[in-house]
Amino acid sequence: MRILVCVKQVPDPNTVVYQIDPGTKRLVRDGVTNVLDPGAEVALEAALQLAERDGESTVTVVAMGPEDAEDAIRRALAMGAHDGALITDDALAGSDALGTAKALAAAIGQIGFDIIFCATESTDGYSGMVPGMVAELLGIPHLSFIRSLEVRDGVLTGQRVIALGYQTVQCPLPLLVAIASGSHEARYPALKGIMAAKRKKVEEYTLADLDLDPDDAGEAGARERVLELLPVEERQAGVIVEDNGDGAARIAELLRQRGVL
Amino acid sequence: MSPTINIAGQLLLLALIIGAGALFAVRTARLYRIMMAGAPTTRRGDEGTRLRRFATMVLGQSKMFEKPAIGVAHFLIFWGFLLLTVSVVQIMLEGLLGGFSLPAIGRARWFIAANDIIAALVIVSLLYAAYRRLRVRPWHLTTQLDAWIILGAIGAHLTALLLAEGFAAAAFGNEGYHWSLAGAALGGPLAALGPTGARIGYVAFWWVHVLLILGLVTYIPLSKHFHIITSPLNVYFRSTRPKGELPKIENIEEAEHFGVGQVQQFTWKDILDGYACTECGRCTAACPATLTGKPLDPKKIIVDTRLATYAQAGVRMLGRRETRAITPETPLIGGLIGDDELWSCTTCMACIEACPVAIEHVPKIVDMRRNLVLEETRFPPELTKVFNSLERNSNPFGLRARTRADWAKGLGLTILGERPDEPVDVLYWVGCYGSFDERNVRVARALSRVLRAAGINFGILGVEEGCTGDPARRAGNEYLYQVLAQGNVETLQGYGVKKIVTACPHCMNTIKNEYPQFGGDFEVVHHSQFIADLLKSGRLKLDGGLDKRAITFHDPCYLGRYNDVYDAPREVVNGLGAEVTEMRRSRNKALCCGGGGARALMEERIGKKMSHNRLDDVLETGCGTLAAGCPFCITMFEDAIGSTGNAERVQVEDLAELVAARLPKESAGAAAAD
């Protein structure tokens, strides 16, 4: 099987306090450690496990981003992906979800595939729309929130996470699966993998390579506009009541003040 | 009369000696070849140190005496064995040549009397050893059939010797054969058997004696008793490098394999360690993981190494239960040694410290962790976050690198990068805990105040400091460690740093003992040493008035066992006007808090918490203050004290905090408001 995994480079969600440029409404990337999106790592892990069980599959990672997004691809290659593709073009900056999906779909169409893995959503943008759009543009089914899967005789059987539990679904290839976050424990690259990744091939694609117009993607093509960015309201500190015999009465008073009682 | 009777007997003896010698040689040669096929390690140079150790540990049996009773018994067996070797030569030649005496001593009364006395003492010692295995039964001592074969054969061959002498005296008169103490004692009663019976007894027991010796010779390489040859060698070849230095994987980017996944990847010295082990279990008894019900038993690691080696060599050990299941294909990790055993180790080095024959357990465990991390990527899941954060933020906590110096805000400390033309005398290496961990930030601030009060011209690296790599290295991620180490060495050299003080023994150990592997040579001292010197020279004066008995001190492994610093922390406590109330396990016997070897950054899922176990020692002293000198220890103890509800009984304080609280008012004032 030819397995494709869409990945993304994001500011390290475990360390970064997000800063947003109020003018462009984009993330400030200066001085920020960029990493392979942990969500994408989980999707890649699911893909690698499928490829390992199958033994004859190749895993290609596809990313769109600035030149240095190649670091994220290298990390994916170190984890075990066979090769990579980076869509990078100055004209792509400022793409909205649809623009991103168009570029990914175009590159994926050129590379060829049997199955595409995506994260359910990226850890920075969180639109969650790109997997569905890519599937639509390629004209293939999209299975969302997949937590486990198996492919036999060209048919995928998988479990979807739903509110009540899990739903077992089936679909013939080709198709796109969006992997539920937390469903797989992403591996840490082995040193051999890190060394091998330096020699693996990463193909670069520009807008021209993909036969896309600047109107299709990037700032120019973006129809979706971010109007305003607001910080999350900080959680209020709680009140600790120490019981000196009158604890219950004081708690009742506090509740009364807040109109609960 | 010669015990071999005639030429046929002499030839039979010759054949037996040659046969036994050949078996011994073939078996030992196989074990030697497989050992020398191990990875290289340099164990030459420092011959003076090696000979000194040989003298104390082998000839003086110094470590054995830490357990006095068995120490004395073993001392007698060891020296008895050496001295009786001369008598064995005498006896074999006597049998081979049909009567022979070593010149000068062969028939000398003092020689024979000495032999008899030694033989009797050895027999008594062996009886004690047997009693210990049967009745005392220390829990860490596992007894295999092997042990009984050894004790039995040694005891029996010496008994046979004494009996042979007794029968000879009965048959020929004590002067007729040759005079002996045993003859004098036993000759009379045994004469009751009549001359023929006595002769038969003499010949029979002489042969029993000789056959048991020859049997032992062939048996030794198949048994842990091989240690009589390998342990002395092992002591001699023990590393003379700093104890805290792990071997570096050279050219890691080009290496074919990483760490040890198969026994042949161990160094020849690691394999010799396996041969040298007598399974006494002193390492087991000292291991904080074993003591809290973890699957790790340092002795088992060494025994497993030996079992795997023997399987590779195609030599089968005798008198053991576990050998049957092991084939050359049995994997070392996952087959003989479980992953959990390796991840339970805190690298505290209590095992190495306890071992009477200089076995080096910890580097082996780290080598196997290297295999798990760098090749197999099999490790506790918490470490993924640790490794990622070390790689991205140069701290294990997932906190931003650029906030590293936030702890020092408002203190007005010199940051080297900000004032390049104002050189400092000493660099204060803060470490990740001191920089980021709320509890240990208090230590960093306290130490800054102390240094300031003593008028030290010091600075910090601020955001340019990075993790030394100790947790990565001890967790097996040598590659990540090397990246971090390289970066720090370049930074330190860039500022021309010569002298470093730190409150973290792990940072201290890595910079002092391991950075030389990257060309970084710095003078590194622990803050306890630095403060002790300041107190001695009078540059630092403290208010006294502490309760003399209020303080106990927990020796950090990386300060004590790793770097032999035991007195400085106690001198600091003396400077506070108090004396350390020692725990029952202290100094080189101190029990680990459970935080080393990156354990502080992993979950402790199996068994009792090691920190709780150590806290029991602390509480036993009745001291209200637990003085500490390591951020890992402080973290572990804070957790243990909190989760066991002992905050009322004891508080953990770093030495720097205790000192800072005793700074005289005026110098405290001068040392900038905290």
Side-chain angles (χ1 to χ4, degrees):
Chain A
M1 274 183 296
R2 180 104 214 222
I3 301 172
L4 256 63
V5 186
C6 299
V7 303
K8 187 177 184 184
Q9 189 184 49
V10 301
D12 186 353
N14 292 313
T15 49
V16 160
V17 177
Y18 285 94
Q19 282 180 306
I20 309 232
D21 184 322
T24 62
K25 309 276 191 310
R26 289 189 207 151
L27 282 171
V28 177
R29 285 181 178 265
D30 290 345
V32 166
T33 321
N34 290 313
V35 301
L36 175 61
D37 189 336
E41 280 192 359
V42 172
L44 175 61
E45 180 63 39
L48 290 171
Q49 288 183 14
L50 177 66
E52 281 161 2
R53 284 197 298 272
D54 171 78
E56 289 168 8
S57 295
T58 57
V59 176
T60 302
V61 287
V62 187
M64 184 179 112
E67 290 270 349
D68 72 358
E70 191 181 321
D71 293 347
I73 293 182
R74 293 287 167 202
R75 169 83 177 199
L77 296 175
M79 285 172 68
H82 299 87
D83 54 7
L86 174 62
I87 307 162
T88 186
D89 198 310
D90 289 344
L92 283 168
S95 292
D96 60 5
L98 184 57
T100 306
K102 280 181 183 167
L104 285 171
I108 291 169
Q110 286 191 13
I111 297 165
F113 67 93
D114 295 301
I115 179 168
I116 302 167
F117 283 75
C118 293
T120 293
E121 59 204 356
S122 63
T123 313
D124 55 349
Y126 278 114
S127 83
M129 295 190 287
V130 171
M133 289 171 168
V134 169
E136 175 66 21
L137 289 166
L138 293 168
I140 55 169
H142 164 213
L143 301 180
S144 57
F145 296 110
I146 293 293
R147 69 190 280 266
S148 65
L149 60 108
E150 207 49 74
V151 176
R152 197 159 295 155
D153 303 325
V155 178
L156 177 142
T157 309
Q159 272 192 343
R160 290 186 69 237
V161 181
I162 57 171
L164 294 173
Y166 308 113
Q167 188 180 51
T168 304
V169 292
Q170 207 165 53
C171 182
L173 304 187
L175 56 79
L176 180 148
V177 291
I179 299 294
S181 68
S183 61
H184 293 73
E185 191 73 49
R187 70 193 60 189
Y188 184 79
L191 185 48
K192 274 211 166 62
I194 296 172
M195 294 307 150
K198 293 183 178 174
R199 295 185 297 272
K200 286 179 180 170
K201 212 173 118 199
V202 176
E203 194 94 40
E204 283 203 11
Y205 294 84
T206 61
L207 272 190
D209 294 332
L210 299 176
D211 289 328
L212 290 176
D213 287 338
D215 290 349
D216 288 325
E219 187 82 58
R223 280 179 275 172
E224 183 189 328
R225 291 266 176 263
V226 178
L227 300 180
E228 200 178 10
L229 280 158
L230 298 170
V232 178
E233 273 184 38
E234 274 189 45
R235 261 177 67 176
Q236 302 288 314
V239 181
I240 295 172
V241 178
E242 279 199 36
D243 188 11
N244 299 317
D246 59 346
R250 281 163 56 210
I251 290 173
E253 179 55 31
L254 282 171
L255 292 174
R256 221 169 280 128
Q257 283 168 12
R258 284 165 176 71
V260 181
L261 279 182
Chain B
M1 178 194 148
S2 160
T4 37
I5 302 168
N6 56 30
I7 186 74
Q10 286 163 270
L11 286 175
L12 176 66
L13 180 62
L14 182 66
L16 287 171
I17 291 174
I18 291 171
L23 268 178
F24 175 83
V26 167
R27 287 166 177 172
T28 305
R30 277 198 194 169
L31 295 171
Y32 177 76
R33 268 199 305 275
I34 200 100
M35 177 178 107
M36 294 319 284
T41 171
T42 308
R43 300 297 173 118
R44 287 178 196 278
D46 305 314
E47 272 74 19
T49 309
R50 295 182 187 285
L51 290 171
R52 241 190 333 275
R53 278 184 190 157
F54 191 88
T56 53
M57 288 180 75
V58 180
L59 304 182
Q61 302 269 299
S62 56
K63 283 276 174 188
M64 291 302 297
F65 283 109
E66 286 179 11
K67 289 185 190 290
I70 195 67
V72 170
H74 190 273
F75 185 87
L76 290 171
I77 297 171
F78 168 76
W79 277 102
F81 165 82
L82 285 186
L83 299 174
L84 290 170
T85 307
V86 184
S87 127
V88 169
V89 171
Q90 157 70 35
I91 285 165
M92 293 291 173
L93 288 175
E94 180 189 12
L96 279 176
L97 305 173
F100 169 84
S101 303
L102 284 172
I105 57 171
R107 288 278 181 271
R109 280 193 177 203
W110 65 266
F111 173 73
I112 295 162
N115 269 309
D116 287 358
I117 292 168
I118 290 163
L121 285 174
V122 171
I123 290 169
V124 171
S125 301
L126 291 164
L127 287 173
Y128 172 70
Y131 169 78
R132 185 163 171 269
R133 283 175 187 275
L134 285 172
R135 289 276 169 252
V136 183
R137 302 182 78 152
W139 64 272
H140 50 83
L141 188 67
T142 44
T143 298
Q144 301 260 12
L145 179 60
D146 193 12
W148 294 120
I149 294 175
I150 296 157
L151 292 180
I154 301 173
H157 95 266
L158 291 178
T159 311
L161 172 69
L162 297 179
L163 283 172
E165 284 179 339
F167 279 111
F172 318 112
N174 203 15
E175 295 292 344
Y177 171 58
H178 63 68
W179 179 92
S180 70
L181 270 182
L186 301 172
L190 291 175
L193 295 170
T196 317
R199 275 178 198 217
I200 292 173
Y202 161 58
V203 174
F205 280 105
W206 188 91
W207 276 97
V208 168
H209 173 70
V210 165
L211 287 174
L212 281 171
I213 290 172
L214 295 177
L216 264 177
V217 167
T218 65
Y219 180 75
I220 281 168
L222 312 180
S223 149
K224 72 191 181 99
H225 205 50
F226 201 27
H227 92 284
I228 60 173
I229 296 161
T230 49
S231 295
L233 293 173
N234 208 51
V235 169
Y236 184 81
F237 288 121
R238 175 188 202 163
S239 171
T240 53
R241 306 285 311 154
K243 287 187 281 181
E245 177 202 72
L246 284 172
K248 180 185 174 193
I249 301 182
E250 298 289 347
N251 300 318
I252 191 163
E253 303 206 350
E254 274 100 53
E256 289 292 311
H257 67 84
F258 312 102
V260 170
Q262 299 159 344
V263 75
Q264 303 97 306
Q265 292 165 347
F266 274 127
T267 68
W268 61 263
K269 172 61 172 57
D270 290 316
I271 294 171
L272 183 61
D273 274 356
Y275 295 165
C277 178
T278 61
E279 302 170 38
C280 71
R282 292 176 188 220
C283 54
T284 305
C287 176
T290 313
L291 292 173
T292 50
K294 311 282 185 290
L296 173 64
D297 171 357
K299 175 169 82 173
K300 179 178 173 292
I301 300 284
I302 304 306
V303 170
D304 286 344
T305 306
R306 178 174 62 202
L307 290 173
T309 315
Y310 271 66
Q312 295 298 327
V315 178
R316 215 185 106 177
M317 293 190 79
L318 296 180
R320 310 189 65 84
R321 254 160 284 135
E322 68 270 22
T323 39
R324 272 152 234 170
I326 296 156
T327 69
E329 284 74 41
T330 310
L332 182 67
I333 309 175
L336 283 163
I337 299 171
D339 291 17
D340 276 339
E341 294 175 46
L342 301 174
W343 293 117
S344 296
C345 177
T346 68
T347 68
C348 77
M349 226 155 60
C351 48
I352 296 181
E353 188 71 27
C355 183
V357 298
I359 289 170
E360 296 155 328
H361 311 64
V362 174
K364 279 185 230 357
I365 291 174
V366 173
D367 258 336
M368 288 187 272
R369 284 182 174 184
R370 285 172 173 175
N371 176 266
L372 286 177
V373 170
L374 299 176
E375 247 175 80
E376 304 292 328
T377 60
R378 235 166 53 216
F379 48 80
E382 310 88 83
L383 284 181
T384 305
K385 280 195 190 106
V386 171
F387 292 156
N388 280 334
S389 180
L390 286 173
E391 192 179 321
R392 292 162 190 170
N393 313 306
S394 206
N395 71 66
F397 310 119
L399 296 166
R400 279 188 301 163
R402 58 164 60 175
T403 63
R404 193 173 189 99
D406 287 4
W407 70 273
K409 270 188 188 153
L411 294 184
L413 300 185
T414 303
I415 296 176
L416 265 53
E418 290 174 2
R419 301 185 204 164
D421 359 300
E422 291 173 40
V424 296
D425 299 332
V426 185
L427 174 78
Y428 169 28
W429 182 275
V430 188
C432 300
Y433 275 85
S435 302
F436 292 105
D437 175 65
E438 228 177 286
R439 174 67 187 83
N440 284 291
V441 162
R442 277 163 38 204
V443 177
R445 296 177 76 96
L447 180 53
S448 302
R449 280 174 52 205
V450 172
L451 295 175
R452 179 79 55 87
I456 305 298
N457 173 21
F458 72 102
I460 61 172
L461 283 176
V463 295
E464 286 189 83
E465 187 186 285
C467 173
T468 59
D470 162 78
R473 182 168 231 202
R474 262 82 203 168
N477 199 335
E478 176 73 5
Y479 180 65
L480 180 53
Y481 161 72
Q482 291 195 6
V483 172
L484 294 168
Q486 197 68 57
N488 283 325
V489 169
E490 279 165 22
T491 307
L492 289 167
Q493 287 175 337
Y495 288 115
V497 171
K498 301 261 179 325
K499 179 158 186 170
I500 297 172
V501 62
T502 179
C504 176
H506 294 259
C507 295
M508 169 193 178
N509 181 64
T510 297
I511 300 173
K512 182 180 172 193
N513 296 325
E514 300 191 314
Y515 280 7
Q517 291 171 339
F518 296 85
D521 283 297
F522 310 102
E523 186 197 342
V524 193
V525 294
H526 188 243
H527 67 324
S528 66
Q529 296 170 290
F530 200 83
I531 294 173
D533 283 347
L534 291 176
L535 290 169
K536 244 179 267 173
S537 65
R539 279 185 82 174
L540 194 62
K541 296 217 180 336
L542 303 177
D543 289 340
L546 268 190
D547 177 0
K548 258 180 128 46
R549 309 260 315 139
I551 300 179
T552 185
F553 176 71
H554 166 78
D555 288 280
C557 310
Y558 276 65
L559 185 65
R561 279 188 290 268
Y562 273 69
N563 286 290
D564 294 313
V565 177
Y566 297 110
D567 295 331
R570 290 170 173 81
E571 287 163 20
V572 173
V573 173
N574 294 343
L576 296 163
E579 265 163 41
V580 170
T581 305
E582 296 291 352
M583 289 183 244
R584 63 193 171 102
R585 291 176 271 208
S586 78
R587 300 180 76 97
N588 66 334
K589 302 276 192 312
L591 192 62
C592 175
C593 71
R599 283 276 358 148
L601 303 164
M602 296 182 237
E603 296 289 331
E604 196 173 334
R605 295 186 189 82
I606 313 170
K608 186 181 176 180
K609 293 247 192 297
M610 294 187 245
S611 57
H612 293 195
N613 205 34
R614 181 55 165 167
L615 185 60
D616 290 344
D617 287 4
V618 175
L619 295 173
E620 211 176 70
T621 63
C623 293
T625 300
L626 166 60
C630 170
F632 285 83
C633 301
I634 293 173
T635 306
M636 300 306 283
F637 282 124
E638 286 289 0
D639 176 72
I641 292 168
S643 59
T644 58
N646 277 301
E648 307 281 308
R649 290 176 67 188
V650 66
Q651 285 189 324
V652 55
E653 301 266 5
D654 188 86
L655 291 165
E657 293 178 293
L658 292 170
V659 170
R662 300 313 250 177
L663 288 174
K665 289 290 172 296
E666 60 283 18
S667 66
D674 183 359

